[in-house]
Amino acid sequence: MSDQPITRRKLLGSTAAVGSGLFLSGCDMLNENEAFRGVLRSATDLNFAVHRSLGSRAALAREFPISERSPFFRGNGTQAPDNPAYQAAIASDFAGWTLEARGLFDRPGRWTLDQLRAMPQRTQTTRHDCVEGWSAIGTWTGVPLHMLLDQAGIRRDARYIVFRCADVMGGGIPYYESIDMIDARHPQTIIAHRLNEEPLPVRNGAPLRLRVETQLGYKQAKYLQAIEAVASLEDIGQGKGGYWEDVANYAWYAGI
Ligand SMILES: Nc1nc2c(c(=O)[nH]1)N[C@H]1C(S)=C(S)[C@@H](COP(=O)(O)O)O[C@H]1N2
Ligand SMILES: [Mo]
């Protein structure tokens, strides 16, 4: 598999152009030339670094060829939610699982897993970085979050999306996380249901988990049950926007 599509995406840096197939024919011809591709690659790496250092939140996280993927994508944090509701969901192979859209939506509601699988999908091979000091590269497939937000009619006063999870942490609190609308609408932010071409394993968040590739591991909420659109994080948990933010003072913005 070639990395050309990734190079193009970085170069174009525009969501609208990605995948449209427009304006690329000249580039396709140049891409045939190995020497040119070398130059292109270093130029886009530089461009990427500059974007990052200028703090461009629209920049894409690096994508990798499948050949660089980790042989095993380890689990971390909750790896086997032991609460009865989740255990029952495993037993039924997640047949009745839904993702709820609640809060500041004009059309709140629920998607079944089949509905999510029938929507346009994005697949990306990215590196996950955990603050505990490990990384892994994996291929994720899922629905771009912006499509769900639009389908459910996100309201203009929504400023954050809160992710509600099925696993219960210490103190009896279900895991939760949140991101702002820039990350929520980022093209690589997806509600993933597959890892490395297979349904998500339980340890990695079955049946649905967030991938927000611009941020660190603890933002990648697993066991997703609901997305909640809010105007403020004040009333979410203790007000810092996430489980680890509230209990251990982790940074809410964990950009990488
Ligand atoms: N619901 C839930 N999501 C979670 C966690 C968790 O314990 N519960 N742990 C986080 C942390 S710290 C990391 S590094 C990643 C681990 O993802 P993985 O289990 O797929 O490796 O999930 C994040 N999302
Ligand atoms: Mo982590």
Side-chain angles (χ1 to χ4, degrees), residues 96-155:
W97 195 275
T98 56
L99 180 71
E100 184 188 1
R102 62 189 202 223
L104 302 175
F105 289 103
D106 287 333
R107 296 178 292 279
R110 292 170 182 276
W111 295 275
T112 64
L113 293 181
D114 279 346
Q115 286 173 326
L116 293 172
R117 289 188 282 245
M119 289 179 70
Q121 308 287 308
R122 180 178 169 108
T123 293
Q124 56 204 24
T125 302
T126 53
R127 194 185 64 218
H128 174 109
D129 296 307
C130 170
V131 285
E132 289 167 38
W134 60 276
S135 298
I137 294 177
T139 304
W140 306 96
T141 299
V143 187
L145 179 58
H146 64 83
M147 290 191 177
L148 298 177
L149 301 184
D150 290 339
Q151 206 175 82
I154 184 113
R155 286 173 31 182

Side-chain angles (χ1 to χ4, degrees), residues 194-241:
R194 293 175 88 75
L195 168 59
N196 299 341
E197 295 89 33
E198 301 288 340
L200 281 189
V202 167
R203 71 169 183 281
N204 302 110
L208 298 173
R209 69 105 45 94
L210 172 67
R211 290 302 310 173
V212 50
E213 305 295 356
T214 51
Q215 298 217 36
L216 288 170
Y218 60 90
K219 304 297 288 189
Q220 321 295 327
K222 304 193 282 188
Y223 316 112
L224 279 184
Q225 289 187 301
I227 56 174
E228 185 175 338
V230 297
S232 155
L233 296 174
E234 228 167 278
D235 298 329
I236 307 302
Q238 294 168 42
K240 292 186 189 157

Side-chain angles (χ1 to χ4, degrees), residues 6-256:
I6 296 162
T7 306
R8 279 181 202 149
R9 270 187 231 123
K10 279 192 199 167
L11 191 69
L12 288 165
S14 140
T15 325
V18 170
S20 70
L22 297 173
F23 315 122
L24 287 176
S25 47
C27 301
D28 284 341
M29 285 159 63
L30 284 166
N31 268 330
E32 300 294 306
N33 177 314
E34 267 305 315
F36 178 77
R37 283 181 57 200
V39 173
L40 192 62
R41 203 171 286 127
S42 51
T44 53
D45 283 351
L46 181 65
N47 186 41
F48 179 68
V50 168
H51 266 278
R52 282 288 183 207
S53 65
L54 290 177
S56 168
R57 305 267 319 271
L60 289 160
R62 182 159 183 184
E63 294 190 19
F64 297 81
I66 282 176
S67 57
E68 285 185 48
R69 164 162 116 178
S70 308
F72 177 76
F73 202 107
R74 60 170 278 185
N76 199 48
T78 307
Q79 297 190 50
D82 55 7
N83 46 310
Y86 187 84
Q87 285 296 320
I90 296 185
S92 69
D93 204 17
F94 303 106
W97 195 275
T98 56
L99 180 71
E100 184 188 1
R102 62 189 202 223
L104 302 175
F105 289 103
D106 287 333
R107 296 178 292 279
R110 292 170 182 276
W111 295 275
T112 64
L113 293 181
D114 279 346
Q115 286 173 326
L116 293 172
R117 289 188 282 245
M119 289 179 70
Q121 308 287 308
R122 180 178 169 108
T123 293
Q124 56 204 24
T125 302
T126 53
R127 194 185 64 218
H128 174 109
D129 296 307
C130 170
V131 285
E132 289 167 38
W134 60 276
S135 298
I137 294 177
T139 304
W140 306 96
T141 299
V143 187
L145 179 58
H146 64 83
M147 290 191 177
L148 298 177
L149 301 184
D150 290 339
Q151 206 175 82
I154 184 113
R155 286 173 31 182
R156 293 185 65 106
D157 49 343
R159 292 192 51 210
Y160 305 94
I161 303 298
V162 179
F163 299 88
R164 301 291 188 178
C165 306
D167 57 322
V168 182
M169 305 296 286
I173 304 162
Y175 198 89
Y176 55 100
E177 258 303 343
S178 63
I179 58 178
D180 65 12
M181 297 309 299
I182 296 177
D183 276 331
R185 290 201 170 277
H186 189 284
Q188 289 169 316
T189 299
I190 64 175
I191 302 299
H193 53 85
R194 293 175 88 75
L195 168 59
N196 299 341
E197 295 89 33
E198 301 288 340
L200 281 189
V202 167
R203 71 169 183 281
N204 302 110
L208 298 173
R209 69 105 45 94
L210 172 67
R211 290 302 310 173
V212 50
E213 305 295 356
T214 51
Q215 298 217 36
L216 288 170
Y218 60 90
K219 304 297 288 189
Q220 321 295 327
K222 304 193 282 188
Y223 316 112
L224 279 184
Q225 289 187 301
I227 56 174
E228 185 175 338
V230 297
S232 155
L233 296 174
E234 228 167 278
D235 298 329
I236 307 302
Q238 294 168 42
K240 292 186 189 157
Y243 177 78
W244 288 116
E245 288 88 329
D246 280 334
V247 308
N249 228 13
Y250 281 26
W252 173 77
Y253 186 72
I256 42 179

